[in-house]
């Protein structure tokens, strides 16, 4: 390509070797600081729910060194994440309003609005905008995938699952509301996710809505999230579990929801089959990357740093990438997945692809 741009990624993460990543682009990256008015949101609110600084701490800055003929510019990933997270938080707050029965609504809101990086909904919005769509179109599906993700965390934390007392630095849902309420609140959130997509998605055809509902159902059910969870549960302590089995668990338990986030955004943005499949591959790479990094963090960071219980995989005798191939090779694998993910978006408009490139790097170098 005529113009070569070096995207220098700096981070204080200690789990990876110092990295200097080069990305080729046909044009400069731009600084996305567009704030979205409440009129563009499907669930309009006058207030703004600010994400917590801890949940949206982004240990990455991106700098561009472009062709001298182009005006130097930067893509501020942290600002982009904060802006999108505010939009998502406002939409989630509106989608789950307090009402009768109050107990279930409080439990749902407790976990759903507890913070978090909002990676999945932001990916959905970024993919939609990459292909010319709008945030407002993607927002219902973005919120839906975050609801399903939150439901899975609530259920994972239960004593008969992962038995966790801490999530995002706060007591887990069942510690506050009880196990029975946590189960029901998660179930309610799953149902609400599909209702939200079916009733609030605007500006696209009914065929597109049906298609993303099918994608969401597959990703969250026995062919996706649940498939990974059941194999994970049944494999605890299994010394014969190999890399192929581990990849199956993670491609479903973790990567499925990241994949569907991007795919739904691509469909809503009007992408053709080739574009949707390229973005699907991008998402599969970052989905597995997310879990590889998660495995590394579990054995290299403290509970305070993670905002959840550290070292629980080791205690539960779970098979992880560091356990099977060691820390060094796990880091190498993560680097390979990161590169493969970014390769999938090189052919798209570089300005609009900047969030997806930065997201892949963020997932690779995150610290919690």
């Amino acid at each position: 390509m005529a113009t070569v741009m070096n995207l220098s990624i700096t981070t204080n993460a200690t789990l990876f070797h110092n990295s200097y990543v080069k990305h080729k682009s046909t044009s400069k990256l731009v600084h996305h600081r567009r704030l979205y008015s409440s009129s563009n949101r499907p669930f309009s609110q006058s207030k703004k729910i600010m994400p917590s600084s801890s949940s949206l701490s982004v240990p990455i800055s991106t700098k561009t060194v472009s062709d001298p003929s182009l005006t130097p510019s930067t893509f501020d990933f942290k600002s982009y994440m904060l802006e999108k997270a505010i939009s998502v938080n406002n939409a989630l707050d509106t989608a789950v309003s307090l009402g009768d029965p109050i107990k279930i609504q409080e439990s749902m809101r407790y976990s759903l609005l507890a913070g978090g990086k909002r990676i999945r909904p932001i990916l959905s919005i970024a993919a939609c905008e990459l292909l010319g769509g709008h945030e407002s179109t993607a927002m219902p599906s973005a919120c839906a995938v975050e609801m399903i993700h939150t439901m899975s965390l609530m259920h994972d934390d239960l004593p008969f699952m992962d038995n966790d007392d801490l999530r995002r630095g706060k007591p887990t849902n069942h510690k506050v509301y009880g196990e029975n309420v946590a189960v029901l609140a998660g179930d309610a959130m799953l149902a609400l996710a599909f209702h939200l997509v079916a009733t609030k998605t605007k500006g696209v055809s009914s065929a597109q809505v049906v298609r993303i509902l099918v994608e969401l159902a597959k990703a969250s059910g026995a062919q996706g999230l649940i498939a990974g969870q059941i194999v994970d549960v049944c494999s605890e302590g299994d010394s014969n579990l190999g890399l192929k089995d581990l990849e199956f668990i993670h491609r479903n338990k973790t990567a499925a929801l990241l994949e569907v986030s991007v795919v739904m955004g691509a469909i809503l943005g009007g992408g053709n089959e080739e574009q949707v499949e390229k973005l699907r591959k991008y998402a599969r790479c970052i989905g597995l990357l997310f879990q590889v990094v998660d495995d590394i963090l579990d054995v290299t960071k403290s509970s305070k740093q993670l905002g959840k219980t550290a070292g629980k995989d080791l205690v539960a005798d779970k098979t992880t990438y560091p356990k099977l191939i060691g820390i060094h090779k796990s880091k190498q694998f993560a680097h390979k997945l990161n590169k493969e993910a970014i390769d999938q978006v090189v052919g798209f408009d570089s300005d609009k692809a900047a969030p997806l490139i930065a997201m892949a790097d963020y997932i690779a170098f995150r610290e919690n």
Side-chain angles (χ1 to χ4, degrees):
M1 295 183 182
T3 304
V4 177
M5 183 176 299
N6 296 324
L7 185 60
S8 175
I9 309 298
T10 60
T11 175
N12 59 358
T14 58
L15 51 150
F16 293 101
H17 55 73
N18 292 332
S19 175
Y20 185 80
V21 185
K22 294 181 178 180
H23 303 307
K24 292 184 178 181
S25 171
T26 54
S27 62
K28 61 185 178 179
L29 299 182
V30 296
H31 181 183
H32 294 256
R33 281 191 174 275
R34 187 174 66 233
L35 288 170
Y36 293 84
S37 66
S38 60
S39 62
N40 288 332
R41 299 192 187 104
F43 323 115
S44 172
Q45 292 244 124
S46 59
K47 63 180 180 179
K48 289 183 178 180
I49 302 176
M50 295 296 294
S52 65
S53 58
S54 60
S55 67
L56 282 170
S57 176
V58 183
I60 291 175
S61 63
T62 59
K63 297 179 181 179
T64 62
V65 181
S66 59
D67 187 297
S69 64
L70 300 174
T71 304
S73 62
T74 62
F75 173 67
D76 189 337
F77 182 56
K78 185 172 183 178
S79 293
Y80 176 87
M81 289 286 284
L82 287 169
E83 291 166 7
K84 294 300 186 186
I86 290 169
S87 295
V88 170
N89 286 344
N90 284 329
L92 290 170
D93 180 54
T94 304
V96 188
S97 57
L98 285 173
D100 292 327
I102 194 70
K103 192 77 168 181
I104 200 74
Q105 307 292 342
E106 286 179 341
S107 177
M108 292 166 69
R109 288 173 62 84
Y110 176 81
S111 291
L112 190 61
L113 302 179
K117 307 171 189 70
R118 306 307 189 200
I119 288 175
R120 291 157 189 82
I122 293 173
L123 278 170
S124 197
I125 293 167
C128 183
E129 292 181 334
L130 172 65
L131 295 170
H134 301 284
E135 179 186 289
S136 58
T137 303
M139 189 61 79
S141 61
C143 288
V145 78
E146 187 71 0
M147 288 177 179
I148 293 172
H149 171 59
T150 302
M151 172 276 295
S152 73
L153 299 181
M154 292 166 67
H155 287 178
D156 275 352
D157 291 336
L158 290 164
F160 51 83
M161 293 286 281
D162 287 350
N163 192 25
D164 229 325
D165 297 340
L166 195 66
R167 174 68 66 181
R168 291 170 179 166
K170 300 170 66 175
T172 47
N173 197 288
H174 68 274
K175 285 292 179 181
V176 178
Y177 294 97
E179 295 173 30
N180 51 358
V181 175
V183 170
L184 293 172
D187 293 344
M189 201 115 62
L190 177 62
L192 179 58
F194 287 92
H195 183 267
L196 199 62
V197 172
T199 62
K200 298 295 184 180
T201 305
K202 308 297 181 184
V204 294
S205 68
S206 57
Q208 285 170 288
V209 175
V210 170
R211 187 177 175 188
I212 62 173
L213 284 169
V214 170
E215 291 279 355
L216 189 60
K218 182 179 179 181
S220 58
Q223 291 180 291
L225 172 64
I226 302 303
Q229 286 179 317
I230 190 63
V231 176
D232 187 33
V233 167
C234 295
S235 299
E236 287 187 15
D238 183 359
S239 59
N240 295 318
L241 199 71
L243 279 173
K244 186 176 180 180
D245 302 309
L246 188 61
E247 183 171 328
F248 176 87
I249 291 170
H250 293 331
R251 284 205 180 278
N252 288 280
K253 183 178 179 181
T254 302
L257 290 186
L258 286 161
E259 179 182 327
V260 79
S261 300
V262 174
V263 170
M264 288 194 301
I267 293 169
L268 291 170
N272 59 39
E273 288 303 315
E274 182 182 358
Q275 291 171 326
V276 171
E277 289 311 306
K278 281 182 72 69
L279 290 174
R280 188 189 296 276
K281 185 173 180 181
Y282 160 88
R284 283 178 178 168
C285 288
I286 65 166
L288 188 54
L289 171 64
F290 191 97
Q291 189 59 53
V292 174
V293 174
D294 219 45
D295 284 355
I296 296 169
L297 292 175
D298 189 67
V299 296
T300 59
K301 298 294 179 180
S302 67
S303 297
K304 183 177 180 180
Q305 289 171 311
L306 294 178
K308 60 183 180 179
T309 307
K312 63 180 183 179
D313 291 342
L314 184 63
V315 173
D317 197 25
K318 283 190 175 182
T319 301
T320 64
Y321 280 96
K323 183 178 178 180
L324 284 182
I325 62 176
I327 293 288
H328 180 66
K329 287 188 177 180
S330 295
K331 293 174 184 178
Q332 289 181 326
F333 186 39
H335 180 75
K336 177 176 178 288
L337 288 168
N338 187 25
K339 182 182 182 302
E340 287 179 0
I342 292 171
D343 285 346
Q344 301 309 308
V345 297
V346 166
F348 291 94
D349 181 285
S350 61
D351 292 348
K352 293 180 179 180
L356 293 176
I357 292 172
M359 183 68 84
D361 284 321
Y362 167 67
I363 289 172
F365 293 99
R366 67 192 178 93
E367 292 193 306
N368 55 42

